[in-house]
């Protein structure tokens, strides 16, 4: 009996160890560099050897080392390893970019012996992810007390995300009221996600849609605040209305003041012009012969000329 228990425990430990290995994957973000780790210090004792990094059965990098120097290297898609790998034992593979089709693909490092026999030194699982766009939430009010329709859309992410709806921040929608569709784009294999909610709620209800990308550890939420509007947006709108009203009042006062000042200047100009004309006429009445003398003087100058 103890032997059977020991064997069962050993089997469970082995299965648990295998499960841990399967979960021990490297996360790569699409269109960004990623490093697949492989530390193998035993190769430090080797003088001449050849290694290969393979993606499944495809060779992505082949490196020939002689006297701890890399004398030849063939690479696919610019994959590289460290130039001092033979001195440090760090044979990690650096990929400048990754494609979504490589999701959950195993990369393995092999050493090639003189007998053309290869042994796997490292195996790394590659998992990929990409961020989704911020969800766009649209609301269509129901007519005559019917159901209200909501549409939540997000695009360009990977893998397929989880979508969560909440009503008034705490209530989950009724069962069967949510319909979610994920479409994989044919060119990039990224996902567009669209979720529909049909529910009978009041116009003042608050509804939120959350896009959860577990691989990227990202959660993005968009909220519809109903007819009452967001308190922040409401206060901002009220402040903007007050500012616009005050600005209009100030502009109006400035315009009125400008017009009044211009009328005042016109009145002063007319008064001065009138005073000047009266002074001129009074001067002529006091000196009736002055104008005649000025005319004779002008005629005399012209005769002399």
């Amino acid at each position: 009996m103890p032997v059977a228990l020991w064997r069962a425990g050993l089997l469970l430990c082995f299965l648990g160890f295998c499960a841990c290995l399967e979960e021990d994957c490297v996360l790569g973000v699409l269109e960004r560099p990623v490093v697949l780790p492989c530390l193998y210090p035993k190769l430090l004792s080797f003088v001449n050897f050849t290694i290969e990094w393979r993606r499944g059965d495809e060779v992505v990098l082949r490196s020939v080392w002689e006297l701890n120097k890399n004398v030849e290297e063939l690479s696919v898609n610019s994959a590289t390893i460290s130039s001092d790998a033979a001195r440090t034992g760090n044979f990690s593979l650096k990929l400048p970019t990754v494609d979504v089709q490589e999701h959950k693909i195993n990369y393995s490092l092999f050493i090639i012996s003189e007998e053309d026999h290869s042994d796997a030194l490292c195996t790394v699982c590659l998992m990929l992810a990409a961020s989704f766009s911020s969800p766009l939430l649209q609301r269509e009010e129901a007519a005559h007390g019917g159901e209200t329709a909501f549409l939540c859309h997000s695009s360009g992410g990977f893998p397929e995300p989880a979508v969560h709806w909440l009503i008034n921040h705490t209530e989950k929608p009724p069962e069967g009221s949510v319909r979610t569709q994920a479409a994989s784009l044919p060119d990039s294999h990224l996902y567009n996600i669209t979720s529909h909610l049909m529910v009978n709620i009041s116009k003042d209800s608050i509804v939120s849609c959350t896009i959860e990308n577990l691989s990227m550890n990202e959660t993005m939420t968009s909220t519809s605040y109903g007819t009452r509007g967001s308190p922040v947006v409401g206060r901002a709108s009220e402040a903007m209305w007050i500012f616009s009203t005050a600005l209009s009042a100030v502009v109006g006062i400035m315009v009125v003041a400008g017009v009044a000042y211009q009328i005042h200047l016109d009145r002063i100009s007319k008064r001065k012009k009138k005073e000047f004309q009266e002074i001129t006429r009074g001067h002529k009445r006091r000196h009736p012969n002055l104008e005649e003398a000025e005319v004779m003087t002008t005629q005399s100058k012209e005769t002399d000329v």
Side-chain angles (χ1 to χ4, degrees):
M1 185 67 180
V3 176
L5 290 176
W6 182 82
R7 289 180 178 177
L10 183 61
L11 178 60
L12 290 175
C13 292
F14 177 75
L15 294 176
F17 176 73
C18 291
C20 292
L21 287 180
E22 291 179 356
E23 295 176 358
D24 188 18
C25 293
V26 173
L27 178 64
V29 179
L30 293 181
E31 299 181 355
R32 295 184 186 178
V34 62
V35 176
L36 306 181
C38 180
L39 299 177
Y40 201 79
K42 291 183 179 180
L43 282 179
L44 297 177
S45 60
F46 286 58
V47 178
N48 302 325
F49 60 92
T50 300
I51 60 169
E52 288 184 352
W53 269 103
R54 300 175 187 172
R55 178 176 53 208
D57 296 330
E58 178 189 4
V59 176
V60 296
L61 182 138
R62 181 183 177 91
S63 183
V64 179
W65 297 78
E66 294 181 0
L67 300 177
N68 292 333
K69 291 184 178 180
N70 190 348
V71 297
E72 182 181 355
E73 185 170 286
L74 300 177
S75 172
V76 176
N77 297 330
S78 302
T80 60
I81 60 174
S82 174
S83 58
D84 59 351
R87 292 188 295 272
T88 63
N90 184 359
F91 290 88
S92 301
L93 179 69
K94 182 177 182 180
L95 303 174
T97 184
V98 286
D99 186 80
V100 70
Q101 296 181 357
E102 299 178 70
H103 182 55
K104 292 186 178 180
I105 294 294
N106 287 334
Y107 281 76
S108 300
L109 177 67
F110 294 86
I111 181 170
I112 311 301
S113 65
E114 295 180 356
E115 294 80 11
D116 199 25
H117 175 73
S118 60
D119 296 319
L121 306 183
C122 299
T123 297
V124 183
C125 168
L126 176 62
M127 295 187 64
L128 300 177
S131 297
F132 281 85
S133 64
S134 297
L136 175 64
L137 180 58
Q138 297 176 330
R139 176 177 189 147
E140 183 178 347
E141 292 294 345
H144 308 294
E147 291 185 328
T148 302
F150 295 87
L151 174 66
C152 182
H153 179 75
S154 182
S155 60
F158 189 87
E160 184 177 343
V163 181
H164 308 286
W165 290 90
L166 282 179
I167 301 173
N168 295 326
H169 302 301
T170 57
E171 305 172 20
K172 293 184 178 181
E175 186 176 355
S177 60
V178 176
R179 179 169 52 89
T180 301
Q181 296 177 331
S184 178
L185 303 179
D187 295 334
S188 63
H189 298 282
L190 300 178
Y191 282 99
N192 286 351
I193 193 81
T194 302
S195 186
H196 299 264
L197 170 64
M198 290 289 293
V199 64
N200 194 349
I201 56 176
S202 66
K203 293 183 178 181
D204 292 337
S205 297
I206 300 172
V207 175
S208 61
C209 169
T210 299
I211 303 295
E212 184 180 15
N213 189 342
L214 296 176
S215 296
M216 293 289 292
N217 195 25
E218 290 180 344
T219 301
M220 296 175 290
T221 300
S222 182
T223 303
S224 173
Y225 290 92
T227 56
R228 291 180 299 180
S230 167
V232 176
V233 175
R235 289 194 294 269
S237 300
E238 182 180 356
M240 183 61 69
W241 180 84
I242 295 174
F243 175 77
S244 301
T245 303
L247 181 61
S248 300
V250 171
V251 172
I253 293 173
M254 293 178 63
V255 171
V256 172
V259 172
Y261 183 69
Q262 185 62 43
I263 293 175
H264 176 68
L265 292 178
D266 292 342
R267 288 178 178 177
I268 294 175
S269 178
K270 290 180 180 179
R271 186 173 65 250
K272 289 184 177 181
K273 183 176 181 181
K274 186 177 181 179
E275 290 175 354
F276 176 77
Q277 291 176 349
E278 290 178 354
I279 293 173
T280 303
R281 285 196 296 269
H283 180 72
K284 290 181 178 179
R285 285 196 297 270
R286 288 194 300 271
H287 303 281
N289 297 326
L290 180 60
E291 183 176 357
E292 182 178 354
E294 290 177 354
V295 173
M296 292 178 64
T297 301
T298 304
Q299 293 178 350
S300 176
K301 289 180 179 181
E302 292 176 355
T303 303
D304 295 338
V305 174

